[in-house]
Amino acid sequence: MTGTPLQLFNSLTRQLETFEPVHPGEARLYSCGPTVYNYPHIGNMRAYVFADVLGRTLSWKGYALTHVVNITDVGHLTDDADAGEDKLEKAAAERAQSIWDIAKHYTEAYWADVKALNIRGPMKAGKPDPAHWSIATDYVPQMIEFAKSIADKHCYELDSGLYFDVSTVADYGRLARAKTEDGEGRIEAVEGKRNAADFAIWRKTPPGETRQMEWDSPWGRGAPGWHLECSVMGEALLGFPFDIHTGGIDHREIHHPNEIAQNQARCCTNGLDDPLASGARIWMHNNFLVERSGKMSKSAGEFLRLPLLVEKGYHPLAYRLMCLQAHYRSELEFSWDGLGAALTRLKRMVLAAERFADADEGGDPRHPRLAPFLDRFDAAMSDDLNTPLALTAFEEALAAKKIDPAARRAAIAEMDSVLGLGLLDLTRADLRLRPKDAELDEDDVEDALERRRDAREARDFSRSDAIREELAAKGVEVMDGDPLGWEWKL
């Protein structure tokens, strides 16, 4: 493929590795998607921005990309281990709604956030689709067959369900660097388990209970375990082994080690000295978004969602840019000031791009004066997706002077195909969002500003000041001499 060789950090080996596709010319990528029992918070969405940038980079490098993102609508318990209630069943009971309606509602909310953040995918039936958005309940028959294929050698049955014996595969927990013999980690005790880290493949419906989502199986009526779903959909849609598996860093401790153990059992492989034995050549994890007030937890009730940012006047792509400003393996602290700074940075980019947004398409992005920016951008993205450094090269290309507009437009479009900001399609008007609680609409503000300009031209400064104070009382800050040229903000 073209450019600098792509180096990615493999969580399994804890080192940078050159991307070498399992299937020449292809890139097969699986990303753990949402459990659709509630709205996604902005911390959840950081994982999908990261996965989108990874997919965009692979496409830019010339690989034919297949990207699978799963939608979990069954089997995910409230503590992520083997105790508690199914998250969807609990949400349906609390809201007195059908579990299918709950899943549909929150899936659509997730897709709306995906679209707002420019997470790539063509539109199919009104929802974005990067290749496959796989719904867990569509694959239950395959889950049962998968479990049957590994049950004799790797599983045992208890009254509560079918459990995977982690002692039957070598190197269990290597991904998390876990010590499994003492049950270390977020593992709940289940009576009869052979090992503390053993996990449910199939959960039987308790006697006397009925679930909204349950199926017949050789181990009784019930539902699949959360970990089983990703193994099954990864194999069904990408084949074992595939190239890259992504998820949040929280998945590195339990969910992904359990998924790897299932993959080992399914493929009759043992130790993990060869990463391909895990089912994927490379495992990648993004770090947390940290919010100091505690409003990142769904258990707190009200939490930070993308629509809340929009209600306060921040464009969703300001949040995408905020994510890009930090390396995906670093913690990212959220603050309203930080988001405001990202919005200002995005505005500056839009102002710079306006100068050549209407230039002819088809220019040469490798113009002699642009090639160095593209080379630095490529080097940054090839160094484990170093988006902060790539943004610097991008902005320097935006600011470059006396270069053919068509060539500069082509270079910016090429780099933005990786960053996903949609810069050439953004306008000032797009970025000036009206907060939900604003008393004036944009037409009112512009009318008042026009009257103020007339007053200033007539040197009626008392009238000018009065209009300024009138706007300030209604939450509009007039910014005389604003270097961005925005003139006012809510």
Side-chain angles (χ1 to χ4, degrees), residues 117-277:
L117 288 169
N118 260 4
I119 292 173
R120 190 172 62 162
M123 299 300 291
K124 292 184 180 178
K127 62 180 183 293
D129 190 339
H132 298 280
W133 295 84
S134 55
I135 309 297
T137 48
D138 291 343
Y139 288 83
V140 172
Q142 292 95 317
M143 293 178 203
I144 293 172
E145 291 304 311
F146 188 112
K148 286 165 62 177
S149 74
I150 65 174
D152 290 346
K153 291 184 178 180
H154 299 278
C155 303
Y156 57 94
E157 192 171 352
L158 298 176
D159 290 343
S160 55
L162 183 70
Y163 286 82
F164 190 99
D165 184 340
V166 299
S167 70
T168 64
V169 294
D171 297 331
Y172 174 78
R174 178 182 284 194
L175 179 69
R177 301 298 193 263
K179 296 178 180 179
T180 59
E181 64 270 12
D182 59 4
E184 189 175 302
R186 295 177 290 125
I187 305 292
E188 295 290 333
V190 173
E191 186 176 354
K193 286 208 301 187
R194 296 175 183 172
N195 310 286
D198 292 352
F199 57 91
I201 293 285
W202 187 266
R203 295 186 179 88
K204 299 178 185 178
T205 301
E209 292 186 16
T210 301
R211 298 184 183 197
Q212 290 193 45
M213 287 185 175
E214 57 180 5
W215 295 262
D216 290 322
S217 81
W219 316 283
R221 192 159 179 81
W226 175 40
H227 315 299
L228 181 62
E229 299 173 6
C230 288
S231 286
V232 169
M233 290 184 282
E235 181 187 34
L237 296 170
L238 298 174
F240 285 148
F242 53 87
D243 295 300
I244 306 172
H245 196 309
T246 77
I249 198 171
D250 52 323
H251 291 341
R252 193 180 65 187
E253 307 308 310
I254 292 181
H255 178 45
H256 286 171
N258 290 353
E259 198 180 330
I260 287 171
Q262 294 166 159
N263 298 348
Q264 289 176 269
R266 175 71 164 176
C267 299
C268 302
T269 56
N270 210 342
L272 295 174
D273 289 338
D274 179 359
L276 289 175

Side-chain angles (χ1 to χ4, degrees), residues 325-448:
Q325 290 176 161
H327 191 271
Y328 76 90
R329 286 194 286 121
S330 300
E331 277 193 353
L332 172 60
E333 182 166 357
F334 175 84
S335 69
W336 292 106
D337 286 345
L339 184 62
L343 180 59
T344 297
R345 189 178 186 182
L346 185 60
K347 288 177 177 180
R348 292 185 187 279
M349 291 180 180
V350 168
L351 274 175
E354 280 182 345
R355 297 195 298 270
F356 53 85
D358 294 331
D360 293 337
E361 297 184 17
D364 179 12
R366 304 297 303 184
H367 183 284
R369 291 191 56 198
L370 289 168
F373 300 119
L374 279 167
D375 290 342
R376 286 171 47 213
F377 182 88
D378 180 33
M381 293 307 301
S382 298
D383 183 16
D384 195 32
L385 311 182
N386 190 336
T387 51
L389 195 57
L391 280 168
T392 300
F394 182 64
E395 287 177 308
E396 289 177 2
L398 274 170
K401 307 293 185 183
K402 298 180 180 179
I403 299 175
D404 173 53
R408 191 143 59 115
R409 187 187 195 284
I412 293 304
E414 185 170 327
M415 288 186 269
D416 199 22
S417 71
V418 178
L419 299 174
L421 294 172
L423 196 60
L424 294 174
D425 296 320
L426 281 177
T427 66
R428 300 185 191 194
D430 293 330
L431 296 181
R432 184 184 282 157
L433 299 182
R434 180 175 181 270
K436 187 177 181 180
D437 58 357
E439 296 181 26
L440 298 174
D441 62 26
E442 187 163 335
D443 289 341
D444 293 332
V445 177
E446 294 291 356
D447 179 67

Side-chain angles (χ1 to χ4, degrees), residues 449-461 464:
L449 288 175
E450 182 65 29
R451 288 187 283 110
R452 184 168 182 267
R453 281 191 288 269
D454 291 343
R456 287 167 66 85
E457 287 177 6
R459 305 188 67 78
D460 186 352
F461 296 115
S464 169

